[in-house]
Amino acid sequence: MARPLVRDEEGVSTFWSFVGVLVLVAAILAVYFVYVVPKSGHAPLRAQNGDDVKVDYIGRFENGFVFDTSLQSVAEDNASYTKAFAFSWRGTWQPLSFAIGAVPLAVIQGFDVGVQGLAVGDAKTIVVPPNLGYGAADPTKIIVKPLFENVPVRVTMNESDFANTYKTPAVSGSNVTDPFWGWSAYVSVSGSIVTVTNSPVPDQTVHPYDQWDARVVSVDDGADNGIGRIVVHHLLDGSAVDRIGTRSAPGTVVFVVTAVDLAAGTYTLDYNNPVRGRNLVFEVTMVAITRVA
């Protein structure tokens, strides 16, 4: 008599387990050949000496103030990117193009070295010390001044110096405006000597360099052997650092306020190029690399 057909449950289970293993192995191999092999076989081009590159960047001082950028979006965004006084607007905004290792270098050394090894799309923060940047500051161009400044009531000069200072001939009995402080002054002429008597009033607000407020604290007409003394308080604090300065007519920075020490009662004017003598922080993104044969 024929044996009845019986389902071999153990055999079926073994078969499907084998199929499952095959599927898993196939999936692993697919991932390997699709993702791993291509990457290991095609390493990205990384910037090296001799390459022509294009780089976007944001340049900051260590206090975070932006002094330069290649990005118009950063230039226009003052809320997120506080600008230093040294920052200048320009007509076009585009990535910085240069040859790495050019002779002479096309960019400062710290920047040139810092972008090497980056692939397109890579971002990096580069800190450039003065010796790899724009060099040390000239200490003779850094001037520390008192927040409470003494100014003479009476100043004597010759007619030529008067004309150069006040941009008008000296006329006895006339009144002029001091070009620096903005207060009124009385002119008297004796021979070739011109005496200018400054005439501010206590609590008057003046504007040195046309950049910040100062207050006339007191006027002592008889102090300093009759020369007289005006005490002026420069109303500066830490918020002025790297944010206030002056420019020449073409737009070149003349000086920047780089320190205000309320405890010492001083402020500092730096007549160096604003990027000299400072650690500079660059946030860079590699945009393009051209390998020169």
Side-chain angles (χ1 to χ4, degrees), residues 184-240:
S184 179
Y186 178 79
V187 180
S188 61
V189 182
S190 178
S192 61
I193 301 301
V194 181
T195 300
V196 178
T197 302
N198 293 309
S199 305
V201 295
D203 289 327
Q204 180 179 348
T205 299
V206 292
H207 305 282
Y209 302 101
D210 286 328
Q211 292 298 317
W212 63 80
D213 289 345
R215 183 176 67 86
V216 177
V217 177
S218 62
V219 180
D220 186 343
D221 193 65
D224 300 329
N225 298 316
I227 294 175
R229 182 191 308 133
I230 304 163
V231 179
V232 180
H233 180 201
H234 295 274
L235 303 177
L236 294 170
D237 57 25
S239 65

Side-chain angles (χ1 to χ4, degrees), residues 62-274:
E62 287 186 300
N63 57 18
F65 293 164
V66 175
F67 65 85
D68 194 15
T69 184
S70 64
L71 299 165
Q72 185 170 351
S73 59
V74 173
E76 293 175 341
D77 185 353
N78 292 319
S80 303
Y81 301 94
T82 303
K83 305 304 187 299
F85 182 80
F87 183 86
S88 295
W89 189 265
R90 53 177 178 263
T92 59
W93 306 90
Q94 58 189 10
L96 176 64
S97 299
F98 65 98
I100 297 177
V103 180
L105 287 175
V107 294
I108 56 176
Q109 184 180 358
F111 197 96
D112 186 275
V113 173
V115 301
Q116 295 185 37
L118 296 181
V120 172
D122 284 353
K124 180 181 180 181
T125 297
I126 304 168
V127 179
V128 179
N131 63 307
L132 297 178
Y134 294 92
D138 180 352
T140 66
K141 295 182 178 181
I142 300 174
I143 301 173
V144 179
K145 304 188 72 172
L147 287 171
F148 286 85
E149 183 174 353
N150 294 332
V151 182
V153 172
R154 277 170 284 279
V155 181
T156 58
M157 62 191 76
N158 60 41
E159 292 179 320
S160 176
D161 288 343
F162 179 91
N164 288 334
T165 301
Y166 294 92
K167 310 305 179 187
T168 187
V171 177
S172 194
S174 64
N175 288 290
V176 293
T177 299
D178 186 277
F180 181 78
W181 297 105
W183 54 48
S184 179
Y186 178 79
V187 180
S188 61
V189 182
S190 178
S192 61
I193 301 301
V194 181
T195 300
V196 178
T197 302
N198 293 309
S199 305
V201 295
D203 289 327
Q204 180 179 348
T205 299
V206 292
H207 305 282
Y209 302 101
D210 286 328
Q211 292 298 317
W212 63 80
D213 289 345
R215 183 176 67 86
V216 177
V217 177
S218 62
V219 180
D220 186 343
D221 193 65
D224 300 329
N225 298 316
I227 294 175
R229 182 191 308 133
I230 304 163
V231 179
V232 180
H233 180 201
H234 295 274
L235 303 177
L236 294 170
D237 57 25
S239 65
V241 174
D242 278 325
R243 298 280 286 158
I244 291 179
T246 62
R247 295 180 183 271
S248 62
T252 302
V253 174
V254 175
F255 73 75
V256 175
V257 176
T258 54
V260 177
D261 189 335
L262 297 178
T266 61
Y267 68 101
T268 302
L269 304 182
D270 191 341
Y271 285 80
N272 286 281
N273 184 311

Side-chain angles (χ1 to χ4, degrees), residues 9-25:
E9 298 291 346
E10 183 177 348
V12 171
S13 176
T14 301
F15 171 77
W16 286 113
S17 296
F18 178 72
V19 171
V21 170
L22 288 178
V23 171
L24 179 60
V25 170

